[in-house]
Amino acid sequence: MRNNKRLQSLSNNAHGHQFENYVKGACGYYSQMGIAEIEQTPEPFRTTSTNRDGTFTGRFTANAQPDFKGTLKGGRAIIFETKYTSTDKIRKSVLTKNQELCLQKHYKMGALVGVCVGIKDTFAFIPWEIWSNMKEIYGRQYLSVNDIEKFKVRFNGHVLFLDSPYLRAMQAKY
């Protein structure tokens, strides 16, 4: 049983890294197209020792920040977290309190804020006003594939997180 949990954890971690790479690819695409300049936030991590076999030990030196920050053409800031799950739903609790606080502060300042999610092979950009009010809107603390359908974004080898009808309508306001 313990090995099954470890294997599932390793699998989820690998899927999460792949998902982040799909988003990084989209950031490069948006930069080339002159649509946005968005960068991944480095993890606050410090190596404490290195072993002969190339492995190392380390620790996080600060609370995790949202994964991506940048600027959209026209000057509006964008900040978002990425989360992936191989299950049927994404829980609101996948964000840390520090990430929630940071996203909320940027939202109040007028940035485009959200959570870019992958649920199995469905990708979406959930605006912060939806994510942060999930309980009031859906009556629960998670989203299913059906719930994220209207926030769905295209995938062409990259998760094109800015490509959703909902976000285009929001951008038109600014």
Side-chain angles (χ1 to χ4, degrees):
M1 184 67 120
R2 194 170 170 169
N3 281 341
N4 286 343
K5 283 190 176 192
R6 185 169 187 262
L7 285 174
Q8 184 63 46
S9 178
L10 289 171
S11 175
N12 288 342
N13 194 13
H15 281 106
H17 284 296
Q18 185 63 48
F19 179 62
E20 278 190 4
N21 286 334
Y22 291 153
V23 173
K24 280 195 283 190
C27 291
Y29 166 77
Y30 291 136
S31 178
Q32 286 178 338
M33 300 301 291
I35 295 170
E37 287 298 326
I38 302 168
E39 297 175 346
Q40 188 171 23
T41 306
E43 293 286 344
F45 188 82
R46 190 176 115 220
T47 301
T48 55
S49 66
T50 304
N51 303 320
R52 287 182 177 200
D53 64 359
T55 61
F56 63 89
T57 304
R59 65 182 181 90
F60 288 99
T61 58
N63 290 329
Q65 293 291 310
D67 290 329
F68 291 88
K69 296 177 184 175
T71 308
L72 302 170
K73 185 175 183 176
R76 188 172 186 199
I78 181 171
I79 181 168
F80 60 97
E81 178 65 22
T82 57
K83 293 296 180 187
Y84 178 85
T85 184
S86 57
T87 67
D88 293 332
K89 57 189 167 196
I90 189 101
R91 297 189 178 280
K92 188 176 183 203
S93 62
V94 296
L95 267 62
T96 67
K97 292 294 177 197
N98 190 64
Q99 289 167 330
E100 287 180 354
L101 181 62
C102 185
L103 291 169
Q104 183 64 29
K105 285 179 180 179
H106 284 270
Y107 178 74
K108 284 182 177 179
M109 297 301 291
L112 175 58
V113 177
V115 182
C116 187
V117 300
I119 301 178
K120 294 185 178 177
D121 61 351
T122 301
F123 306 110
F125 189 93
I126 312 301
W128 185 247
E129 60 269 21
I130 303 299
W131 183 272
S132 62
N133 294 302
M134 190 184 298
K135 176 76 171 167
E136 293 79 14
I137 296 168
Y138 297 98
R140 49 190 152 72
Q141 300 282 4
Y142 67 87
L143 298 174
S144 68
V145 172
N146 289 338
D147 297 328
I148 68 171
E149 190 63 35
K150 77 178 189 177
F151 308 107
K152 193 173 174 180
V153 298
R154 283 188 316 123
F155 178 79
N156 70 350
H158 306 305
V159 174
L160 298 174
F161 55 88
L162 293 177
D163 186 30
S164 82
Y166 189 90
L167 280 182
R168 282 195 294 277
M170 282 180 55
Q171 284 297 98
K173 294 179 186 178
Y174 291 91

